[in-house]
Amino acid sequence: MPTIAIVGAGPQLGLAIARTYGTYGTYGTYGYDVALIARNRAKLEVLVGELAAEGITAAAFPADVLDRSTLTQALKDAATHFGGIDVLEYSPVGGLHTVMTTPAATEPADVQHEMEFQLYGAIDATRAVLPAMREARAGTLLFTTGAGSVDPVPQVANVNAAAAALRNWVINLHKELDGTGVQAAHVAINVSIGTPAIPGFPTAQPEEISPVYWDLHTTKRDQAELVFSL
């Protein structure tokens, strides 16, 4: 079976992506094994159980994206466990650790934390899986940010700055990998997921968004970016 590794796996978008890739026949293909990577082992095991109940093979590999060595090791362990990683999806969420700042109030440290979390973690995750993909001349690297990476908003300036850096790096990686058989793409999500973060802001359910990741992996491999909006 091919395998998708989801870095930042959680009960909303991460779980929906796992189901999209893992459910046999849903999209006219076969199910993927799923490697779930996030900080909390107990929460990952709950997701593994939910997927198992749906007939999807999954396993938990706890790691913090801010701890480079454990993130790299988790991806290596996942590759060993499943026999390789065919798709990497990177979408960790800062949660309570994220302090949002406006442009004028932003200090270098406010951006540095987000750079560590978003860009540097993505680079390390990529370095862990890309050599094998290059050798196989096949694979997909997908990276998620909010749409503020494309059209920033003042309330979350530090988060947007790091997301924009990640977006720039992914699009550049897409160009570098052209002709290698490996696809790199950025997904910018211009909605709240599950419940509205701001009253009146467009909201989509995870299951509405997750097929985008399948499309980029299969029929839209020439695209470097897709913005999800309603």
Side-chain angles (χ1 to χ4, degrees):
M1 288 288 191
T3 300
I4 180 171
I6 301 173
V7 178
Q12 294 209 69
L13 183 59
L15 183 59
I17 293 171
R19 285 174 169 146
T20 294
Y21 276 80
T23 302
Y24 181 86
T26 301
Y27 294 93
T29 186
Y30 43 81
Y32 278 53
D33 292 333
V34 180
L36 300 173
I37 299 172
R39 290 185 295 263
N40 190 305
R41 176 181 290 276
K43 291 181 179 179
L44 289 178
E45 292 294 354
V46 171
L47 300 183
V48 168
E50 288 188 38
L51 293 170
E54 298 169 20
I56 299 170
T57 300
F61 301 91
D64 188 334
V65 298
L66 295 175
D67 186 334
R68 305 286 177 259
S69 61
T70 61
L71 175 59
T72 298
Q73 189 61 51
L75 286 162
K76 289 181 177 179
D77 291 345
T80 299
H81 181 84
F82 286 117
I85 293 173
D86 303 275
V87 181
L88 170 72
E89 193 280 319
Y90 186 88
S91 56
V93 177
L96 296 177
H97 299 282
T98 299
V99 177
M100 301 177 185
T101 61
T102 63
T106 298
E107 298 182 6
D110 298 321
V111 178
Q112 180 61 34
H113 176 269
E114 290 302 312
M115 292 288 283
E116 293 275 355
F117 190 76
Q118 296 194 61
L119 178 61
Y120 302 160
I123 290 173
D124 276 328
T126 300
R127 288 173 60 85
V129 302
L130 182 55
M133 290 182 178
R134 278 187 177 273
E135 184 176 353
R137 295 192 62 81
T140 302
L141 305 161
L142 302 172
F143 305 86
T144 304
T145 71
S149 61
V150 180
D151 183 16
V153 293
Q155 293 88 341
V156 287
N158 59 324
V159 176
N160 287 171
L166 174 56
R167 173 181 183 253
N168 179 284
W169 179 79
V170 174
I171 292 173
N172 218 7
L173 180 62
H174 175 91
K175 295 176 181 179
E176 180 186 2
L177 294 175
D178 183 43
T180 68
V182 183
Q183 153 79 332
H186 170 243
V187 179
I189 299 178
N190 193 28
V191 296
S192 293
I193 301 175
T195 57
I198 302 171
F201 192 75
T203 301
Q205 296 306 308
E207 295 76 16
E208 297 177 82
I209 304 170
S210 59
V212 163
Y213 294 83
W214 181 256
D215 292 342
L216 285 167
H217 173 53
T218 54
T219 61
K220 298 181 178 178
R221 295 188 63 79
D222 61 329
Q223 294 192 21
E225 180 173 62
L226 196 153
V227 178
F228 182 91
S229 297
L230 292 178

